Amino acid sequence: MNTTISNNGLPFLPQAPGSQTNGTATGTGSTASDAPASVPGKDDSVRLTDSARALQDAAKVDGNAAIDTKRVEQIRKALADGSYQVNPARIADKMIALDAQIAGTAKP
């Protein structure tokens, strides 16, 4: 199946070898020649910012933390029987502390 793409009266531009030419595209699907030719070199590297490193370290600490199943069960029961108490002031304080930490203004 061939699909013709109109150029709306614009002049045809030179195309890279192996790419679509003169506004005509073939609908044959993706082929190996459609894939990018570049391959990462040996000198490619990634540098993490201090913030990214801190998040990575925090994830490692939290990822290794054991789940307190007894506490989870207490909260589950309190939610089920309606006795779970929400403390909006504590939630607000924690959100403000998190915002300060993200902004880098938190006190150690």
Side-chain angles (χ1 to χ4, degrees), residues 14-98:
Q15 299 289 321
S19 66
Q20 300 168 354
T21 58
N22 294 339
T24 303
T26 56
T28 58
S30 180
T31 64
S33 65
D34 294 338
S38 64
V39 176
K42 293 179 182 178
D43 61 344
D44 288 349
S45 64
V46 174
R47 292 186 186 175
L48 297 178
T49 63
D50 292 339
S51 300
R53 243 181 260 116
L55 287 172
Q56 190 177 38
D57 292 343
K60 288 179 185 175
V61 171
D62 290 343
N64 294 331
I67 297 173
D68 186 352
T69 55
K70 188 182 264 187
R71 178 74 177 135
V72 170
E73 194 54 38
Q74 287 174 343
I75 293 170
R76 184 174 288 148
K77 286 180 183 178
L79 287 170
D81 68 20
S83 64
Y84 185 79
Q85 296 290 319
V86 176
N87 184 341
R90 184 172 182 214
I91 294 170
D93 289 342
K94 296 284 185 174
M95 290 176 71
I96 291 169
L98 178 61

